[in-house]
């Protein structure tokens, strides 16, 4: 009876719970095959060709029309069905059986309002815009994975959705993709981000919180302007703003647990024009960040209180704008622990255990975090640093440069994580 109960229970668990992540030995033929395919000269040339075309015509958030069109053309020629538009320029492509589980791979499509200063054959042809965060390569790698997966479509034990999203750089594109409902059925999602901090081909991530939640604020302190010689007849907003900016520093240093990571930074101050006039108002603003989702509303509340009360001390008034209609605050990116372990095992098999590193927590933000609120999610970094190529410049630098030899590794990693996820999570019908 006990035995039968166990048998029934284990059958039940087998159907509804994740199976074990396969061992490195089981994964090895898959990762080797995928990497060999992605490194074939024809495949590699095609992938870097796609990346260079996107690099030459960067488009900023929610304007990715050309990029989106290029993606759809490539998907069409691979024979992959897709849905468009999702969140204006976004594309969601589907490969596989159409049944559960549904595993998703994500690429962001937008460039930045930065003028490229690297002189090379495929330099940006759009003045003032540049792919300085590697999103061109993210698209190329997910298209590379699409090609690898399409070749295996009859063996897939479930469905893979490829998500090409707009507006990662401050526009919360991921949030808008979710709002459009095209991802309601996904069970887990994976993304890669190229990182110049690591040598080419090195992978890195961490379980749990990886990037911060982040919000913006803008404050206006209203006083009463007048002649600088008669301060007693005026209400000086410059002094009020100065006190407020100093007081804001204490939210982190005096009110935050030293073991919690939070940031409050004032990035601009605008007020006054000449030395002998007290202006009517001063505007300033900045960013606040936290590595816990609870931290963000606490910071927001205190930023408002501190600025309003410091204004009142100086007989001024303050109005606060958290700019949520322009730039939705980004939540913390929290990597699912089991999915992290799964992808780490795949990565170790692909590039060797010594080339998979633990990524530190960072106070940068990433809108992939919206997916991590909705479903099991994990993001890995992919090293692109090569001193000879000068691909060691930080993200968002006008000198940012990419070592394209990382692309086949990225394509194979995406595809291997997806295939092995379906293999270990499929539900016997
Ligand atoms: C860096 O790039 C150069 C030029 O492509 C290549 O010859 C070299 O092997 C690369 N170095 C590493 C460490 O990958």
């Amino acid at each position: 009876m006990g035995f039968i109960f166990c048998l029934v229970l284990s059958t039940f668990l087998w159907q509804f719970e994740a199976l074990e992540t396969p061992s490195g030995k089981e994964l090895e033929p898959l990762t080797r095959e995928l990497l060999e395919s992605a490194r074939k000269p024809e495949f590699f040339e095609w992938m870097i060709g796609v990346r260079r075309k996107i690099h030459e015509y960067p488009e900023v958030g929610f304007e990715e029309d050309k990029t989106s069109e290029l993606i759809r053309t490539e998907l069409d020629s691979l024979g992959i069905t897709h849905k468009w538009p999702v969140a204006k320029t976004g594309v969601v492509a589907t490969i596989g059986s159409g049944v559960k589980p549904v595993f998703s791979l994500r690429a962001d499509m937008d460039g930045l309002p930065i003028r490229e200063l690297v002189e090379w054959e495929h330099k940006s042809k759009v003045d003032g815009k540049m792919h300085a965060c590697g999103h061109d390569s993210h698209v190329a790698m997910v298209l590379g994975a699409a090609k690898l997966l399409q070749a295996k479509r009859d063996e897939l034990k479930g469905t893979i959705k490829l998500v090409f999203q707009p507006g990662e750089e401050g526009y919360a594109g991921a949030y808008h993709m979710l709002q459009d409902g095209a991802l309601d059925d996904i069970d887990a999602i994976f993304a890669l981000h190229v990182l110049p901090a690591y040598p080419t081909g090195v992978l890195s991530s961490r379980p749990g919180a990886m990037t911060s939640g982040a919000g913006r604020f803008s404050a206006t302190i209203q006083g009463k302007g007048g002649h600088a010689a008669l301060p007693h007849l005026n209400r000086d907003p410059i002094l009020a703003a100065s006190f407020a900016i100093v007081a804001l520093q204490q939210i982190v240093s005096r009110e935050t647990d030293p073991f919690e990571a939070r940031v409050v930074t004032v990035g601009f101050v605008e007020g006054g024009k000449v030395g002998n006039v007290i202006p009517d108002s001063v505007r300033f603003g900045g960013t606040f960040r936290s590595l816990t989702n609870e931290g963000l509303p606490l910071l927001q509340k205190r930023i408002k209180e501190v600025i309003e009360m410091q204004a009142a001390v100086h007989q001024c008034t303050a109005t606060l704008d958290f700019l949520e209609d322009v730039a939705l605050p980004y939540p913390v990116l929290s990597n699912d622990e089991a999915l992290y372990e799964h992808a780490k095992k795949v990565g170790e098999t692909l590039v060797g255990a010594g080339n998979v590193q633990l990524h530190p927590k960072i106070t940068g933000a990433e809108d992939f975090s919206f997916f991590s609120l909705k479903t099991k999610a994990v993001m890995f970094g992919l090293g692109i640093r090569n001193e000879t190529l000068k691909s060691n410049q930080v993200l968002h630098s006008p000198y940012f440069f990419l070592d394209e030899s990382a692309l086949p590794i990225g394509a194979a990693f995406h595809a291997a994580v997806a295939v092995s996820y379906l293999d270990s999570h499929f539900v016997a019908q």
Side-chain angles (χ1 to χ4, degrees), residues 129-377:
K129 290 181 193 167
M130 177 187 180
H131 271 287
C133 198
H135 297 185
D136 49 352
S137 69
H138 300 168
V139 170
M141 289 188 291
V142 172
L143 282 173
K147 189 169 176 144
L148 295 169
L149 292 165
Q150 180 69 347
K152 288 182 140 332
R153 63 188 177 281
D154 298 330
E155 303 157 39
L156 299 176
K157 298 195 176 104
T159 307
I160 293 163
K161 282 203 169 184
L162 311 168
V163 176
F164 300 90
Q165 68 151 85
E168 190 284 321
E169 300 288 357
Y171 299 86
Y175 169 83
H176 294 284
M177 292 295 281
L178 289 168
Q179 287 296 99
D180 260 12
L183 303 170
D184 284 351
D185 59 349
I186 63 176
D187 297 299
I189 188 164
F190 172 84
L192 266 188
H193 201 303
V194 291
L195 293 178
Y198 297 93
T200 297
V202 166
L203 303 172
S204 80
S205 184
R206 66 179 302 112
M210 183 157 88
T211 68
S212 288
R216 285 163 57 186
F217 68 96
S218 170
T220 303
I221 293 191
Q222 186 69 42
K224 181 173 169 291
H227 201 292
L230 304 165
H232 59 292
L233 299 182
N234 307 316
R235 290 176 181 175
D236 186 351
I238 290 204
L239 190 64
S242 306
F243 271 88
I245 291 166
V246 171
L248 286 175
Q249 311 311 311
Q250 290 156 19
I251 299 175
V252 173
S253 76
R254 300 290 79 184
E255 299 178 14
T256 300
D257 181 334
F259 293 100
E260 286 268 331
R262 288 185 192 159
V263 174
V264 177
T265 293
V266 174
F268 74 90
V269 186
E270 295 166 0
K273 284 200 172 62
V274 287
N276 61 353
V277 176
I278 290 171
D280 262 325
S281 66
V282 172
R283 210 168 74 85
F284 63 95
T287 177
F288 57 101
R289 282 145 196 260
S290 167
L291 269 159
T292 62
N293 282 325
E294 302 73 53
L296 279 190
L298 290 175
L299 289 176
Q300 198 181 59
K301 176 170 171 284
R302 287 297 289 147
I303 287 168
K304 186 171 188 302
E305 286 172 358
V306 164
I307 296 173
E308 285 177 351
M309 289 182 190
Q310 284 297 332
V313 165
H314 298 87
Q315 303 184 82
C316 295
T317 55
T319 47
L320 262 291
D321 184 355
F322 288 98
L323 305 160
E324 293 188 1
D325 48 339
V326 216
L328 206 62
Y330 283 10
V332 174
L333 166 56
S334 184
N335 286 327
D336 178 78
E337 299 203 5
L339 197 57
Y340 162 79
E341 289 299 336
H342 177 93
K344 177 168 169 263
K345 179 65 70 67
V346 175
E348 285 171 349
T349 313
L350 184 73
V351 296
N355 288 322
V356 181
Q357 299 189 7
L358 187 67
H359 197 275
K361 295 178 185 179
I362 59 166
T363 49
E366 159 63 56
D367 91 342
F368 186 65
S369 58
F370 286 102
F371 295 118
S372 82
L373 282 186
K374 155 98 182 165
T375 187
K376 294 184 168 73

Side-chain angles (χ1 to χ4, degrees), residues 199-201 385-391 403 405:
T200 297
R385 192 180 77 225
N386 177 321
E387 315 293 343
T388 316
L389 294 170
K390 299 201 168 62
S391 59
D403 180 358
S405 71

